[in-house]
Amino acid sequence: MRTIAIAADARQRGWEIDLVGDLDDAGIAIARRMLGEVEVVALRGSPLAAELSARAQRAAVIHLDSYWPVPDLSRTGALISNMQDGPYGVRSADLAIDANLGAERWFAQPDRSGVQLAGIDLAVIRRQVLDQRGSASRGGTRPRVLLVMGGTDPLGLSARVIRGLGEISAPLDLTVIDPRERPEVLSAAATSPHLVDVHGFVEDLPALARHHDLVITAAGTSVWDFACMGLPMALVCAVDNQRAGYREVIGRKLAIGLGEPPHPDLEARIGSLSAVLGADADLASQAQSLMRAVDGLGTWRIVSAWDQLIRVPLSQRDTTAELTARLASLDDASLLFEWRNDPQTRSNSRSRGALVWSDHRSWMERSLADSDRRLLIVESEGVPVATCRWDRLTSMDWEVSITMAPAARGRGLALSVLEAATEALDADAPVRMMAVVHTDNLASQRLFERAGYLPHLPPDDQGFRTLAKWRLLGA
């Protein structure tokens, strides 16, 4: 589903898509429903490896999402984009993506990729989910619970959850999604004291989910669908590769934890949900927290990164000038005042009016005393050629702003200035460096793209777009 959702977004934006992989009949059917008339090739083993190698010779992008080994495609000329989940699925790539909550802190082997996208901002959200974002309908006379454990549910958790909910005395309505319609699930549903509706495959699960107060689900990628919609959740860690993500979500209090394998007390934990189901204000608060955590732009960020990396290959990031950066002092105030009041500088700034000296002097004093700001002077052989300001936005996010000296423009120094300023940023990894650039400022956009900053937010109402780049542990 993650690959299909990315493919659907790319196709909508004009890409030609082929889907190749180890797919069963159900996967092929879902791909055709979501993607329409695209080529779907189902292979496995050595024929799959040969097919990937052949297609990489003529593709612009090969996007990989598999825990199994694949052939080395690095010399084919295609941009290699790779999804990984912690230590699972790591391989050499031009673009490596770990879309799990907290992945920026434990991103595996970033040295194996040219650039990285990390964290829950990359959660892959399909169009069906986005169409239901914020539309949840709550407040019925009986709590409504949705149970989704995925298509395989190898540990038989669905039946256990149904039995656990049966211990709750207050009446509730339960919807169970069980594509395989297993006998143990149907039996547990038939003996439940609650009203239970069991569905097989559901064409539009988000549209069904929006009518529920709480979702009980495994801690897989569907968690972020429900989070984007603003649906409160109780999570079960169903398999080992979900443990890290499960613990991260529960640790941030974004969902209620129902335990990890072997689930010795699952039924008891399920029974404790009775208090949650009666707390409408708490459920509404969790819904808002979930939507803040997942903005639904993950697929946009991934496909936009492909667009940029094809336009501006990683090989175009080389620099030549040797520059150094130092902390600014009040002695630099008049120089920065002159640079900032330059007409071209003002035209590319958010605030385009001319500065007043007294205001600028006060700003310098505040900036130098601010622990969440780094004001730097970048020099070439002792001569100032630019200034760079870093502003801390969150514990990990720093926004960069660069002003070139008018006399230094046109000398090809901008990328070297940025690299010197980045080297001087005294913040421990993981750090996300962000740049906000107006769409009319093509030179600055090109600068940050060459430096490996990738699209983070589309242009706002004033025409400013945001790009971002991670400094990760081990990179």
Side-chain angles (χ1 to χ4, degrees):
M1 288 304 299
R2 186 162 64 180
T3 299
I4 292 171
I6 295 172
D9 185 273
R11 191 179 188 206
Q12 188 176 25
R13 293 167 63 175
W15 287 73
E16 294 182 11
I17 299 296
D18 296 336
L19 187 65
V20 180
D22 186 351
L23 302 167
D24 59 16
D25 290 342
I28 294 172
I30 292 171
R32 295 205 183 281
R33 278 195 298 270
M34 292 187 63
L35 298 176
E37 293 300 320
V38 300
E39 184 176 5
V40 179
V41 179
L43 296 169
R44 62 179 55 185
S46 55
L48 174 57
E51 184 72 15
L52 285 173
S53 297
R55 287 175 179 267
Q57 301 295 330
R58 57 184 185 272
V61 174
I62 296 289
H63 179 70
L64 302 169
D65 193 344
S66 174
Y67 295 168
W68 298 103
V70 299
D72 181 10
L73 305 174
S74 60
R75 298 181 183 276
T76 62
L79 175 78
I80 307 303
S81 169
N82 185 63
M83 298 292 293
Q84 59 188 61
D85 294 307
Y88 299 93
V90 177
R91 55 180 58 86
S92 298
D94 298 300
L95 172 67
I97 307 154
D98 191 329
N100 290 287
L101 183 68
E104 62 275 5
R105 298 200 309 274
W106 35 264
F107 197 100
Q109 303 182 56
D111 56 313
R112 295 189 64 178
S113 52
V115 286
Q116 304 82 33
L117 291 171
I120 199 58
D121 286 333
L122 283 306
V124 174
I125 308 297
R126 63 191 191 277
R127 174 50 54 188
Q128 283 180 323
V129 175
L130 294 174
D131 288 343
Q132 302 296 337
R133 179 171 169 82
S135 66
S137 172
R138 302 185 184 89
T141 56
R142 294 153 58 102
R144 296 161 298 177
V145 178
L146 174 65
L147 172 57
V148 185
M149 283 296 165
T152 57
D153 188 11
L155 301 180
L157 297 173
S158 294
R160 292 184 63 185
V161 171
I162 295 170
R163 290 193 292 269
L165 289 170
E167 299 301 315
I168 296 177
S169 58
L172 57 85
D173 294 342
L174 174 62
T175 304
V176 179
I177 308 299
D178 183 31
R180 301 193 177 192
E181 298 182 350
R182 286 159 289 193
E184 63 271 24
V185 172
L186 297 175
S187 175
T191 57
S192 174
H194 305 299
L195 180 61
V196 183
D197 186 11
V198 180
H199 292 256
F201 175 77
V202 177
E203 181 71 34
D204 192 347
L205 179 59
L208 175 66
R210 67 181 289 265
H211 297 290
H212 294 77
D213 303 292
L214 181 74
V215 180
I216 301 175
T217 186
T221 55
S222 61
V223 167
W224 307 120
D225 288 348
F226 297 131
C228 184
M229 291 175 60
L231 280 173
M233 285 176 285
L235 297 189
V236 181
C237 177
V239 291
D240 284 343
N241 68 351
Q242 294 177 357
R243 288 184 191 270
Y246 170 84
R247 293 172 183 176
E248 191 77 27
V249 175
I250 302 308
R252 298 198 192 191
K253 302 186 185 303
L254 291 174
I256 301 160
L258 298 177
E260 305 177 23
H263 306 104
D265 58 350
L266 178 60
E267 286 81 0
R269 291 193 183 210
I270 292 291
S272 69
L273 293 177
S274 58
V276 175
L277 291 169
D280 292 343
D282 291 344
L283 290 173
S285 176
Q286 189 192 71
Q288 293 302 313
S289 296
L290 290 168
M291 285 196 292
R292 285 193 297 270
V294 182
D295 63 9
L297 292 174
T299 50
W300 177 87
R301 292 183 176 105
I302 292 169
V303 178
S304 296
W306 299 349
D307 284 327
Q308 177 180 307
L309 291 170
I310 289 172
R311 282 191 298 104
V312 187
L314 301 180
S315 60
Q316 295 186 18
R317 296 163 56 192
D318 296 336
T319 59
T320 56
E322 291 292 333
L323 306 180
T324 58
R326 61 170 175 82
L327 288 173
S329 71
L330 276 178
D331 292 339
D332 300 303
S334 59
L335 179 65
L336 298 188
F337 179 74
E338 177 186 341
W339 291 357
R340 177 58 181 79
N341 265 342
D342 175 75
Q344 183 174 334
T345 300
R346 286 162 49 194
S347 69
N348 291 322
S349 302
R350 287 178 177 173
S351 177
R352 300 185 177 186
L355 291 183
V356 176
W357 168 252
S358 59
D359 294 341
H360 173 72
R361 172 82 182 194
S362 297
W363 175 86
M364 280 284 295
E365 292 173 348
R366 293 193 305 272
S367 294
L368 297 176
D370 189 347
S371 61
D372 290 329
R373 173 168 289 176
R374 304 290 186 270
L375 188 60
L376 305 173
I377 302 295
V378 181
E379 298 179 333
S380 174
E381 298 180 346
V383 178
V385 294
T387 179
C388 176
R389 187 180 77 243
W390 292 100
D391 288 305
R392 192 201 308 267
L393 305 178
T394 70
S395 60
M396 288 188 289
D397 292 344
W398 288 79
E399 182 179 341
V400 62
S401 176
I402 293 176
T403 298
M404 295 294 297
R409 293 180 189 139
R411 293 166 52 188
L413 297 177
L415 188 56
S416 296
V417 166
L418 179 56
E419 291 198 351
T422 301
E423 182 71 22
L425 177 60
D426 57 339
D428 294 332
V431 172
R432 181 165 55 183
M433 299 168 288
M434 311 185 81
V436 180
V437 183
H438 199 276
T439 52
D440 291 340
N441 190 349
L442 300 181
S444 288
Q445 290 188 71
R446 178 76 174 180
L447 161 64
F448 289 107
E449 289 172 351
R450 288 179 63 204
Y453 283 63
L454 299 175
H456 182 67
L457 290 175
D460 61 17
D461 293 340
Q462 295 180 310
F464 287 94
R465 61 188 293 244
T466 302
L467 300 99
K469 178 182 180 179
W470 280 103
R471 174 195 290 175
L472 298 169
L473 291 167

